[in-house]
Amino acid sequence: MADVALEAGVSGQTVSRVSNGRSNVDESTRERVLEAMNRLGYRPNSAARALRLGRFRSIGVIMFTLSSFGNMRTLDAIASAAAAAGYSITLIPIAHPTRGAVSGAFDRLNQQAVDGVVIVIEAHLFDEAHLDLPDGLPVVVIDSSARTRYPVVDTDQAEGARLATEHLLELGHQTVWHIAGPAESYSAIRRRDSWEATLRQHGAVVPPVLAGDWSTDAGYRHGLVLAADPTVTAIFAANDQMALGALRALHEAGRAVPAEISVVGFDDMEESASFWPPLTTVRQYFDKVGARSVAALLEGIEGDGPVANVTVPTRLIVRASSGPAPAG
Amino acid sequence: MADVALEAGVSGQTVSRVSNGRSNVDESTRERVLEAMNRLGYRPNSAARALRLGRFRSIGVIMFTLSSFGNMRTLDAIASAAAAAGYSITLIPIAHPTRGAVSGAFDRLNQQAVDGVVIVIEAHLFDEAHLDLPDGLPVVVIDSSARTRYPVVDTDQAEGARLATEHLLELGHQTVWHIAGPAESYSAIRRRDSWEATLRQHGAVVPPVLAGDWSTDAGYRHGLVLAADPTVTAIFAANDQMALGALRALHEAGRAVPAEISVVGFDDMEESASFWPPLTTVRQYFDKVGARSVAALLEGIEGDGPVANVTVPTRLIVRASSGPAPAG
DNA sequence: TACAGCCATGTTGACGTAAACATGAAGCAA
DNA sequence: TTGCTTCATGTTTACGTCAACATGGCTGTA
């Protein structure tokens, strides 16, 4: 900065004013300074600026696997929203979801230069009592328990599961089998609970829950079992990947979809419309979740009032994998 | 820091030494300082540290869509490798891949607090002449032209396409049709070129290239056309999503896979093994690409010598979607 | 002319840290 | 004992920026 000031024949303060777009600088001076900046390739030092201002203009995002469809879309939306607000994203991945790793990540976070944090951890794995985020650091949680002391932004899991289950019941199926997500996942639990509640509400028998782990393999394994059971006519998988695995199992077993068995997923991945048959599923608006969480966080950072929770609705996308229950 | 120093009855410098784990501090003093830190909830200020050291311990990642399978896996690997080296990741997304947006991202980058940058932009969209990264800022490019002045880490696209094409030729197919990626993508071009070269090398006819855009829709559209052509017996799609779209088109047209037509993809997404039929494909090791690019970048940041390019091999994963050419 | 008010610009200092140098005590060999 | 080394710790300073205050020229009015 001093070099620029020298080059332009002004003081450092004037350079600072120009670089921050302040109005009280003479036009000719401003141009001289800008030219000097270009000539010298001046870049404001963000560390010094952050030190001075006490703000980093950066948002931390804590995530487990990036490799899940939903997390990725959410991250994308968070990044876009943050960029639009002039914030950058600092990614804090947690490779192995052990409690120790989570604590470690939070410790590292304390050292990070962030003004706020979005936590995208769906599991019970972090015990809030044990993680001490710096006081006053705004936090927003995505896809977790509502029992946290931080604001929560989340998809309406219960509504989505209800839509899927009712869709199948309305097609005339006696009941709906459920391939669930892992027991540690809040969203998996909420989908399962809502599936069960919807069945009861409609007076349908509640079959045993099939525990999965979001993977195609889990869907495949349970799909093989279900395919062998002639009484099964409708399956609701807790995500599209498990639905895909189930579809494969049904194909291998020679069961027709949807003529003999209907399958419904959850997520609406880009590929789901091209599965064979194209998958009926519950669409989640991850982009909206991401955008809303950033908005909430920014309110926490720049605003003053308390931040409200946000629930994002879902939508049932009906495709060829679900159809009327077979006669008889 | 001053408070901690006062509380522990030492100088700020000693606090600094403790906080950096230096060895030349008496054990009793160290404990006293650590205790004071805990009592006061002291967190080192990363901005001040960065200002003093001129290092941020952060790596910038510039990406187009996060929502592509490969990018996501790569980002995951980059994040893990960076975390292992004590670096954090600053994500710089480019929402709309126009040239202006790219330049904007680079401008923003200049303001960012990063020690190096990984560029994951596969298209020609950025003209190096026009983007002025700060001199001396280490850069590694993933999945781009080898004509950049920066080190490149990339999957061996040509080898992968050759493996796929030869696999089909060896199964007795007269030739192989290709659903290509977008013309702006370097990796798409390399796969196409290698496909073509392999066909020629084996004396096979080279059918017209079918231009796609990575999407399942593109695969579906071209798949419908190919399904209607009785001479087509083998399809090599430039990625798994287009292969999935093609599979759907073939199903709809009632063409048997692989009895009548074989299909091979590229990427090996997690879902590909569960497609119907399970997809033969070329596996890319995105995690390796990510890890290597971070290693290369760190060498550029912390090392001194020139950084070499890295090529990561691929592997053909044979599944049920490819089989011998139909007789006659 | 005199004085107030405004505006562009300059000067000073502080943000929190760590490198460089300084100090002083303890240990050890001649 | 003397002189030299080693090691823990303290002091000073600079990193680059920007807020706060200071300065000085210009304009307009009484």
Side-chain angles (χ1 to χ4, degrees):
Chain A
M1 184 161 96
D3 298 339
V4 175
L6 208 64
E7 175 88 6
V10 298
S11 74
Q13 183 54 220
T14 300
V15 175
S16 168
R17 280 191 265 257
V18 170
S19 118
N20 287 305
R22 298 309 178 77
S23 57
N24 52 344
V25 178
D26 192 76
E27 200 50 46
S28 67
T29 309
R30 177 188 305 278
E31 275 178 25
R32 217 166 62 241
V33 171
L34 286 174
E35 194 186 330
M37 281 177 171
N38 274 332
R39 201 158 44 232
L40 297 178
Y42 165 79
R43 310 288 170 199
N45 179 311
S46 63
R49 182 170 279 175
L51 175 58
R52 188 66 241 272
L53 299 178
R55 286 280 175 85
F56 303 95
R57 296 201 75 78
S58 181
I59 292 175
V61 178
I62 300 182
M63 269 196 175
F64 279 172
T65 53
L66 299 176
S67 305
S68 98
F69 169 72
N71 279 358
M72 199 61 193
R73 290 281 303 277
T74 305
L75 178 60
D76 201 352
I78 291 174
S80 300
Y87 280 71
S88 64
I89 291 294
T90 296
L91 200 56
I92 303 163
I94 300 183
H96 301 292
T98 63
R99 183 157 307 192
V102 176
S103 299
F106 280 91
D107 282 351
R108 252 184 297 136
L109 177 68
N110 286 326
Q111 313 245 2
Q112 298 296 349
V114 295
D115 300 316
V117 185
V118 179
I119 301 178
V120 193
I121 295 182
E122 57 171 18
H124 309 254
L125 275 161
F126 70 112
D127 181 351
E128 288 194 13
H130 284 199
L131 60 87
D132 56 339
L133 287 168
D135 282 347
L137 184 70
V139 174
V140 169
V141 177
I142 290 184
D143 195 41
S144 175
S145 153
R147 302 167 64 190
T148 154
R149 62 191 150 127
Y150 302 117
V152 173
V153 176
D154 200 2
T155 293
D156 193 338
Q157 312 287 352
E159 178 210 29
R162 184 178 57 73
L163 289 174
T165 309
E166 284 185 344
H167 166 67
L168 290 166
L169 292 177
E170 283 163 10
L171 283 168
H173 297 274
Q174 295 298 307
T175 191
V176 177
W177 290 69
H178 182 51
I179 304 178
E184 316 86 57
S185 159
Y186 286 110
S187 50
I189 292 168
R190 292 215 229 147
R191 291 174 201 175
R192 191 203 59 204
D193 289 351
S194 174
W195 156 80
E196 187 174 333
T198 305
L199 285 184
R200 289 194 197 288
Q201 196 178 319
H202 287 257
V205 176
V206 179
V209 171
L210 307 168
D213 60 2
W214 301 134
S215 73
T216 52
D217 267 2
Y220 178 69
R221 280 198 319 274
H222 290 302
L224 285 178
V225 175
L226 293 173
D229 182 342
T231 69
V232 174
T233 69
I235 302 173
F236 166 42
N239 73 344
D240 283 0
Q241 294 193 37
M242 293 196 296
L244 175 64
L247 283 178
R248 179 181 160 212
L250 295 174
H251 284 132
E252 288 188 3
R255 303 294 301 273
V257 178
E260 297 176 61
I261 299 187
S262 288
V263 177
V264 173
F266 203 111
D267 274 356
D268 195 26
M269 312 194 317
E270 195 193 331
E271 290 83 6
S272 301
S274 297
F275 290 169
W276 188 249
L279 185 68
T280 295
T281 188
V282 177
R283 178 176 294 170
Q284 288 200 73
Y285 294 87
F286 296 105
D287 42 359
K288 210 165 274 184
V289 171
R292 291 295 180 78
S293 59
V294 170
L297 192 60
L298 290 182
E299 184 154 333
I301 294 172
E302 297 171 351
D304 38 4
V307 179
N309 289 354
V310 176
T311 300
V312 177
T314 60
R315 187 174 152 198
L316 182 71
I317 307 292
V318 178
R319 300 203 184 93
S321 71
S322 61
Chain B
M1 185 162 96
D3 298 340
V4 175
L6 209 64
E7 175 88 7
V10 299
S11 73
Q13 183 55 220
T14 300
V15 176
S16 168
R17 280 191 266 256
V18 170
S19 118
N20 287 306
R22 298 307 178 77
S23 57
N24 50 345
V25 178
D26 192 77
E27 200 51 44
S28 66
T29 309
R30 175 187 308 278
E31 276 178 24
R32 217 167 59 244
V33 171
L34 286 174
E35 194 186 328
M37 282 178 172
N38 273 333
R39 201 157 43 234
L40 299 178
Y42 166 78
R43 309 289 171 198
N45 179 310
S46 64
R49 180 172 281 174
L51 175 60
R52 187 66 243 269
L53 297 178
R55 287 279 175 86
F56 302 95
R57 296 199 76 78
S58 180
I59 292 174
V61 178
I62 300 182
M63 269 195 176
F64 279 172
T65 55
L66 299 176
S67 306
S68 98
F69 170 72
N71 279 0
M72 171 170 109
R73 289 281 304 277
T74 306
L75 178 59
D76 202 353
I78 290 174
S80 300
Y87 280 72
S88 65
I89 292 293
T90 296
L91 200 55
I92 302 162
I94 300 184
H96 301 291
T98 62
R99 184 159 304 192
V102 176
S103 299
F106 279 92
D107 282 352
R108 252 184 299 136
L109 176 69
N110 287 326
Q111 313 247 4
Q112 299 294 351
V114 296
D115 301 317
V117 184
V118 180
I119 301 178
V120 194
I121 295 182
E122 56 172 18
H124 310 253
L125 274 161
F126 71 111
D127 181 351
E128 287 194 14
H130 283 199
L131 63 86
D132 55 340
L133 287 167
D135 282 347
L137 184 71
V139 173
V140 169
V141 177
I142 290 185
D143 195 40
S144 175
S145 153
R147 301 166 66 191
T148 153
R149 62 190 149 127
Y150 302 116
V152 173
V153 176
D154 200 0
T155 295
D156 193 339
Q157 312 286 353
E159 178 210 29
R162 185 178 58 72
L163 288 173
T165 309
E166 283 184 346
H167 167 66
L168 289 167
L169 292 177
E170 282 163 10
L171 284 169
H173 296 276
Q174 294 298 307
T175 190
V176 177
W177 290 68
H178 182 51
I179 303 177
E184 314 86 57
S185 159
Y186 285 111
S187 50
I189 293 169
R190 293 215 227 149
R191 290 174 202 176
R192 192 202 58 203
D193 289 350
S194 173
W195 157 78
E196 187 174 334
T198 306
L199 285 185
R200 288 195 197 289
Q201 197 179 319
H202 287 258
V205 175
V206 179
V209 172
L210 306 169
D213 60 2
W214 300 133
S215 75
T216 51
D217 267 2
Y220 178 69
R221 280 199 318 276
H222 289 303
L224 285 179
V225 175
L226 293 173
D229 182 342
T231 68
V232 174
T233 67
I235 301 173
F236 166 42
N239 74 342
D240 282 1
Q241 294 194 38
M242 294 196 293
L244 175 63
L247 283 178
R248 179 180 160 212
L250 294 173
H251 284 131
E252 289 189 2
R255 304 292 303 270
V257 179
E260 296 176 64
I261 300 187
S262 288
V263 177
V264 174
F266 203 111
D267 273 356
D268 197 25
M269 312 193 319
E270 196 193 330
E271 289 84 6
S272 302
S274 297
F275 289 169
W276 187 251
L279 185 68
T280 294
T281 189
V282 178
R283 178 176 296 170
Q284 288 199 73
Y285 294 87
F286 296 104
D287 42 359
K288 210 165 273 183
V289 171
R292 291 296 179 78
S293 60
V294 170
L297 193 60
L298 290 182
E299 184 154 336
I301 293 171
E302 296 172 352
D304 38 3
V307 179
N309 289 355
V310 176
T311 300
V312 177
T314 60
R315 187 172 152 201
L316 182 72
I317 308 293
V318 179
R319 300 203 183 93
S321 71
S322 61

